[in-house]
Every structure is written in structure tokens, then in C-alpha cells.
Amino acid sequence: MVKTETKQKILEVGAEIIRKKGYNNTGIQQILQAAGIPKGSFYFYFKNKQDFGMAVIDYYTEIIGSRFQTFFNDPQYDSITKLREFFKSHNEMFESENFEGGCPIGNLAQEMSDQDEIFRKKIEKTISLYLDASTKLIEEAKKEGTITTNYPAQSLAEFIFNSWEGAIIRMKVEKSLTPLIHFDKLVFEHLLQ
Amino acid sequence: MVKTETKQKILEVGAEIIRKKGYNNTGIQQILQAAGIPKGSFYFYFKNKQDFGMAVIDYYTEIIGSRFQTFFNDPQYDSITKLREFFKSHNEMFESENFEGGCPIGNLAQEMSDQDEIFRKKIEKTISLYLDASTKLIEEAKKEGTITTNYPAQSLAEFIFNSWEGAIIRMKVEKSLTPLIHFDKLVFEHLLQ
């Protein structure tokens, strides 16, 4: 493997282990072993575990961002449907994973926000990128008349995002899609109407 | 200290460390040291760390349950206000803790649901106790006419609980009460109206 491929491999494998086991509960050796990368080569690519943690957040930010863009730019949907379909698009994946893992950003937010200020700021920034994009969709939906509430778009976007994160945690407890189905109906058929 | 006092001390100190640092990230020695209890006496009171984890969930279930009862039984409030005041009653504590820690049950739900089936089931049961009580309040509020939506009481109770948990995680990221203020307004002044 060339250098960038090795780095990418460590990142892909490590990100998934951290999503499922937690950051503190995951060792660098465990990641390298799972990735089939020789012991000791980690520090060739990452300064330390925290530096790797930042790369994991970037990795997921990019994946989630590109998934968001797919719906954001889909001309077949009006603005509110774009947002709704973005959320719903995760359900198949969650189901295929037996409702384990959940949201990597939400997990790290819960685990790391009190423990590491660099993590907290990085997570805050990632969330704000998503919130800016979804706030725009809600503003558009207000103009299109598909949302009639006069509550500010940004507050709605924040509440919806937080509720989704809560629903995902509940999915992990219930091992069922039901919390996400309630989330979808209550937000898009009640709250925003 | 007599035996029950020692056990209670380990529990109180250990529960708070786990709430702030996570279960996997907390060692038994760390708990005993913080509690000022001689090394080695842990296994006199608890079978193992998992057994202690179950006791921690019981400990918080009791605290949250008694807080809930305070509002549930307060004759000055109608049903929906009881529920709203229960949520709001946490904000002062969150603020005094500089928005660290958050909800012990939500934290363990996120961290442990995929990793330990005994934890998952225990957490599920604790959440269901809370949900039964809040579903009752919402049913009462429907009879009192303070909630007019025809959405089923249990689904509303679940969505509201999940959204609160999401708002608490976001509070930890933002280090601000704002997510909880939005939660309060959007749920009690918009969703349920």
C-alpha cells in the first residue's frame, strides 16, 4: 500500500471501531491489528491518539456532508422533503447494523465534550456545518410555504438535529427503528405543520 | 462507617465519576480512592464492575424517580405543567455543573447499549418507568384539554424524552442552556399545542 492508502485504511477501520466501542475504549493497537497494519506505523501518520480523533471527526464530517449534499441538490424534492429524506436515508443503514453504532458525531459529542476541549470545539464546528445547511433548507421551506410555523429557522434546525440524536440513542437502547419513525412523523407531520 | 454507609459512599462517589467520565473510562481503584475507601473492599460490596454498574443505574433511577414524583404529585400544577416543570427543574443543576455530566442514563444508554446486553436491558427498563409516568401525564393533559394534538400519548412521551436527551448532549457540546430552552419552547409551546 502507498502512504495515503495506509493512512486511509487506518482511518476507515479505526473510525468504525470508535463509533461502535467509544474513543476511550479503543486502543491504537486494536485499530492497527484490525486494519492489518504493522505495529508502530501509527505515529508515522498521526501525531497521537487525539490527532487521530480529529481525523476521525473529519472523516465522518465528509461522509455525512456528502450524504447531505445528495439530498440538498436533488431537484425532485422541495426543501422540506430534502431534509426529511436526508434523515430517513439513514434508517436502512441503521437497520442493517442491527441498530448498533448510531451517529459517530453524537457518540463523540456525548463521550468527549466534557473531557477534551479540542474534541469539543471540533465537534461543535462539525455540527454547525450541518446546522447551517439545514437552517437554509428550513428557510427555503418557509418561503415555499411548506412550513408554516413562525418559529425561527435556526432554532427549528437545532431542535430537529438534537431530537434526531436523541432518537438515535434511543434506537440503540430499543434495538428498533421505532424512535426514528416517531421522530420523522412528529417533526415533519406535526411540529413543522 | 458501618457497612451500608460504606456501600452508599462508594455508590455516590462512583456514580458521579461514571456520569462525568464514562463507564469504561472509570476504574474501580479511582472510585475507591475518591471515596477514601480502602483498596480491596470493593468486592465486599459488589460482585464485579458490571454489578456495580447495575447499582449505579438503580441509584440514578431512584433519584430521577423521586424528582419526577415531586412534580407529578404537586397539586398546584395541571398535568402538562407537571411534565414541563420536571424537565425545567434540571436546568439549574446543569448550569451549576458548567453543563458537564448531563444525564447519567442517557450517557450509559449511548455508551453501553451496544456493548453489554445486561446494561442495555437495565437501561431500557429505567427509561420505561419514566415513560409510563410521563405517558400518564400526557393522557391526563389530553383529558384536561391542555394538549389538543391527537397523536398517541405514548409516542409523544417517547419523542419528548428522546428529544430531551438529545438536547442534553447538545448542551454538553455548546456548554450552554440554549438547547434546553429551545426544547422547552418547541415541545410545550408548539408541538403539544
Side-chain angles (χ1 to χ4, degrees):
Chain A
M1 271 190 285
V2 298
K3 202 176 144 183
T4 51
E5 276 175 0
T6 306
K7 188 176 180 177
Q8 187 62 17
K9 178 86 177 167
I10 298 173
L11 206 47
E12 280 171 16
V13 171
E16 275 303 282
I17 297 176
I18 287 175
R19 183 166 77 98
K20 290 184 176 162
K21 305 255 176 216
Y23 175 81
N24 289 307
N25 200 28
T26 301
I28 290 167
Q29 285 314 323
Q30 187 186 356
I31 294 169
L32 293 174
Q33 202 170 355
I37 306 286
K39 202 172 152 173
S41 64
F42 180 88
Y43 295 99
F44 186 70
Y45 302 103
F46 304 99
K47 261 191 295 182
N48 49 40
K49 194 181 172 190
Q50 188 194 54
D51 182 44
F52 178 68
M54 297 303 105
V56 165
I57 296 175
D58 283 333
Y59 170 79
Y60 281 121
T61 303
E62 208 173 297
I63 291 177
I64 300 164
S66 92
R67 203 180 291 149
F68 196 87
Q69 284 300 318
T70 305
F71 293 94
F72 198 93
N73 294 321
D74 193 327
Q76 73 169 309
Y77 297 132
D78 63 11
S79 299
I80 197 60
T81 310
K82 285 174 182 173
L83 190 59
R84 188 173 189 175
E85 291 297 323
F86 166 74
F87 287 120
K88 279 169 81 174
S89 75
H90 292 79
N91 291 359
E92 209 174 311
M93 182 188 75
F94 289 144
E95 205 149 17
S96 76
E97 296 178 330
N98 299 314
F99 314 112
E100 292 182 4
C103 173
I105 302 301
N107 294 353
L108 288 171
Q110 191 288 107
E111 184 184 3
M112 299 305 294
S113 292
D114 293 346
Q115 287 181 42
D116 188 321
E117 187 63 7
I118 290 172
F119 261 91
R120 190 191 70 72
K121 281 189 178 149
K122 183 90 175 170
I123 292 163
E124 191 175 32
K125 204 180 161 198
T126 285
I127 294 175
S128 79
L129 290 175
Y130 159 77
L131 287 175
D132 289 349
S134 62
T135 298
K136 264 185 211 151
L137 285 181
I138 292 174
E139 275 165 359
E140 283 302 315
K142 283 186 167 203
K143 282 182 204 152
E144 291 163 6
T146 48
I147 293 181
T148 52
T149 173
N150 57 4
Y151 213 84
Q154 202 192 325
S155 308
L156 286 168
E158 300 215 2
F159 174 78
I160 292 169
F161 172 78
N162 300 344
S163 296
W164 188 51
E165 290 293 341
I168 292 172
I169 288 178
R170 194 70 196 301
M171 167 198 86
K172 287 170 68 168
V173 176
E174 301 290 318
K175 297 294 173 229
S176 141
L177 218 52
T178 307
L180 290 161
I181 293 167
H182 286 320
F183 162 81
D184 173 67
K185 283 200 179 173
L186 273 159
V187 166
F188 291 97
E189 294 177 14
H190 287 255
L191 181 72
L192 294 178
Q193 294 311 309
Chain B
M1 273 192 283
V2 298
K3 201 177 145 182
T4 51
E5 276 176 1
T6 306
K7 188 176 180 177
Q8 187 62 17
K9 178 87 177 166
I10 298 173
L11 206 47
E12 280 172 15
V13 171
E16 274 303 283
I17 297 176
I18 286 175
R19 184 166 77 97
K20 290 183 177 162
K21 305 257 176 214
Y23 176 80
N24 289 308
N25 200 27
T26 301
I28 291 168
Q29 285 314 322
Q30 187 186 357
I31 294 169
L32 293 174
Q33 202 171 356
I37 307 286
K39 202 171 151 172
S41 63
F42 180 87
Y43 294 99
F44 186 69
Y45 302 103
F46 304 99
K47 260 190 297 182
N48 48 41
K49 194 181 172 190
Q50 188 195 53
D51 182 45
F52 178 69
M54 296 304 106
V56 165
I57 296 175
D58 284 333
Y59 170 78
Y60 281 122
T61 303
E62 208 173 298
I63 291 176
I64 300 165
S66 92
R67 202 181 292 149
F68 196 87
Q69 285 301 319
T70 306
F71 292 95
F72 197 92
N73 294 321
D74 192 327
Q76 74 170 308
Y77 296 132
D78 63 12
S79 299
I80 198 61
T81 311
K82 286 174 183 174
L83 190 59
R84 188 174 189 174
E85 291 298 321
F86 166 73
F87 287 119
K88 280 168 82 173
S89 75
H90 293 79
N91 291 0
E92 209 174 310
M93 181 188 75
F94 289 144
E95 204 149 19
S96 76
E97 295 179 328
N98 298 314
F99 315 111
E100 291 182 4
C103 173
I105 302 301
N107 294 354
L108 288 171
Q110 191 287 109
E111 185 185 3
M112 297 306 293
S113 292
D114 293 345
Q115 287 181 41
D116 188 323
E117 187 62 8
I118 290 171
F119 261 90
R120 190 192 69 73
K121 281 190 178 149
K122 183 92 176 169
I123 292 163
E124 191 175 31
K125 203 180 161 197
T126 286
I127 293 175
S128 79
L129 290 175
Y130 159 77
L131 287 175
D132 289 348
S134 63
T135 298
K136 265 185 208 150
L137 284 182
I138 293 174
E139 275 164 359
E140 283 302 316
K142 284 185 166 203
K143 283 182 203 152
E144 291 163 6
T146 48
I147 293 181
T148 53
T149 172
N150 59 3
Y151 214 83
Q154 201 192 326
S155 309
L156 287 168
E158 299 214 1
F159 175 78
I160 292 168
F161 172 78
N162 300 344
S163 296
W164 187 51
E165 289 293 340
I168 292 172
I169 288 178
R170 193 72 196 301
M171 166 198 87
K172 288 171 66 169
V173 176
E174 300 291 317
K175 296 293 173 227
S176 142
L177 218 51
T178 307
L180 290 161
I181 292 167
H182 285 320
F183 163 81
D184 173 67
K185 283 200 179 172
L186 274 159
V187 167
F188 291 97
E189 295 175 14
H190 287 255
L191 181 73
L192 294 178
Q193 294 310 311

